[in-house]
Amino acid sequence: MPFQVNQLHPIFAAEMFGCDILKPVTDETRNAVEDAMAKYAVLVIRDQAAASDEDQVRFAKAFGPLELPPDLGMSERTRPTRVHPKLYDVSNLDENGNLDKPDTLRRKFAKGNELFHTDSSFNDLPTKWSMLLAHVVTPTGGNTEFVDTRAAYDALSPSMKEQVEPLSVIHSLTYSRERGGLTGTTVFDRAFPPVTQPLVRTSASGRKALYIGAHAATVVGMDEAAGRTLLDKLISDASRPEYIYSHKWLPGDLVIWDNRCTMHRATEYAYMEDRRDLRRATINEFGEDRVGARPI
Ligand code: OGA
Ligand code: MN
């Protein structure tokens, strides 16, 4: 089947037409998606409104094992079931499909997503892609913004490239949630112990990329404040307005991003008024389907 691919931003990001995730994933489809992802790092597959959670899970698994949402100690009986257990529920809806209340933990987590981040860099397994499918979108606001950290790496001066290349960074969920305004989260350190990640990675295209974002807490071997200043500068330089692709959601958009060479953030919308129902499959590079965090 011929796929049509159009670039959406001068630096990266593309949309693809002609891909139907309800169909079995052929080698041709897999190669077309892998190639487009290696080139553009963010890929919007249009017109997937007919896809069920099962279709999304099956399509995602064609590209790698899934990172499963943590059940946070909930039993089978009390775990929410609105969304397939292998998908992350990125909505403002409760178990019964009603709008969420202010001040729930979910709301506070959603606020944390408004900082540029890369999904699950606080997990020990390398996260490959996220695939977010829009079922219900908001009339205004609620865009998701992306930046390409290969371009951010390319834009560094030669001496800065030399400085960052050998560095390692501690990524921590506790750190990013506190920065996002959530207090008293040191409990996360037990469920999601901080992990060490390289600051520079080679992406699928062969281009080097910065591995940064809100979970990046401290630089190994550097004074804490100096490491923080370096990370803040890398993140703010990477997210200058002209570098941002802002995705305005249409129902049925399946947006795939490479977590190893992009950052993204949620933007505000009328959380208490407008329904928004997006669901995310998250793919690891290797291994089996597995809960991201290690058990408490
Ligand atoms: C995510 C995420 C942003 C949004 O699903 O990982 O960060 O706009 N979503 O909901
Ligand atoms: Mn995210």
Side-chain angles (χ1 to χ4, degrees):
M1 188 213 291
F3 299 105
Q4 197 196 329
V5 178
N6 308 318
Q7 192 160 342
L8 292 167
H9 181 277
I11 297 175
F12 72 125
E15 62 184 348
M16 178 183 265
F17 292 92
C19 180
D20 180 355
I21 73 166
L22 268 62
K23 296 209 173 117
V25 183
T26 60
D27 286 348
E28 189 195 3
T29 305
R30 199 185 350 262
N31 291 339
V33 172
E34 289 276 5
D35 289 352
M37 284 300 293
K39 187 165 178 195
Y40 299 107
V42 175
L43 186 67
V44 184
I45 300 185
R46 301 284 192 188
D47 306 323
Q48 303 305 312
S52 65
D53 286 357
E54 282 74 22
D55 295 321
Q56 184 178 0
V57 167
R58 192 178 31 77
F59 183 75
K61 279 176 72 74
F63 298 92
L66 298 189
E67 178 205 295
L68 308 179
D71 60 25
L72 298 173
M74 278 182 284
S75 72
E76 200 79 45
R77 200 170 48 76
T78 51
R79 207 174 304 154
T81 52
R82 199 182 70 83
V83 167
H84 193 292
K86 295 197 170 183
L87 298 180
Y88 283 81
D89 179 356
V90 187
S91 76
N92 58 347
L93 305 175
D94 68 16
E95 182 50 6
N96 302 314
N98 297 318
L99 280 168
D100 194 18
K101 309 224 165 17
D103 296 331
T104 59
L105 190 59
R106 163 202 287 271
R107 169 65 172 147
K108 290 174 182 161
F109 258 87
K111 283 308 272 179
N113 270 351
E114 292 175 16
L115 297 172
F116 268 114
H117 65 279
T118 179
D119 289 334
S120 300
S121 64
F122 51 82
N123 280 331
D124 56 344
L125 278 180
T127 308
K128 181 183 174 183
W129 298 347
S130 293
M131 289 188 174
L132 191 56
L133 176 60
H135 293 265
V136 179
V137 305
T138 54
T140 52
N143 281 19
T144 307
E145 298 189 333
F146 296 90
V147 295
D148 180 342
T149 61
R150 302 169 303 184
Y153 176 84
D154 291 345
L156 298 177
S157 67
S159 67
M160 193 62 156
K161 283 182 180 151
E162 218 170 283
Q163 187 195 338
V164 299
E165 178 84 47
L167 296 178
S168 296
V169 174
I170 308 285
H171 289 241
S172 148
L173 183 63
T174 300
Y175 174 75
S176 59
R177 293 305 111 166
E178 284 182 354
R179 267 210 132 180
L182 196 56
T183 51
T185 58
T186 43
V187 60
F188 291 149
D189 272 351
R190 279 205 302 141
F192 307 92
V195 299
T196 306
Q197 308 279 14
L199 179 49
V200 178
R201 314 176 57 142
T202 302
S203 65
S205 61
R207 294 171 62 193
K208 287 187 179 163
L210 293 173
Y211 196 51
I212 47 176
H215 307 305
T218 53
V219 180
V220 176
M222 259 176 102
D223 165 77
E224 193 171 326
R228 193 59 261 156
T229 305
L230 173 65
L231 291 169
D232 283 347
K233 173 147 176 56
L234 292 172
I235 292 169
S236 66
D237 285 353
S239 46
R240 286 189 284 252
E242 64 272 27
Y243 285 5
I244 296 177
Y245 165 65
S246 183
H247 184 69
K248 177 159 180 49
W249 289 92
L250 296 173
D253 282 348
L254 176 74
V255 180
I256 313 176
W257 61 88
D258 189 329
N259 282 301
R260 302 159 300 184
C261 64
T262 60
M263 290 190 289
H264 62 280
R265 70 177 171 198
T267 63
E268 280 189 58
Y269 63 99
Y271 188 89
M272 298 306 301
E273 288 154 40
D274 294 334
R275 298 165 69 87
R276 185 175 192 257
D277 188 354
L278 276 59
R279 302 175 187 193
R280 195 186 89 202
T282 314
I283 304 171
N284 283 325
E285 282 182 331
F286 51 78
E288 303 289 319
D289 288 2
R290 207 194 81 165
V291 176
R294 282 157 286 184
I296 298 177

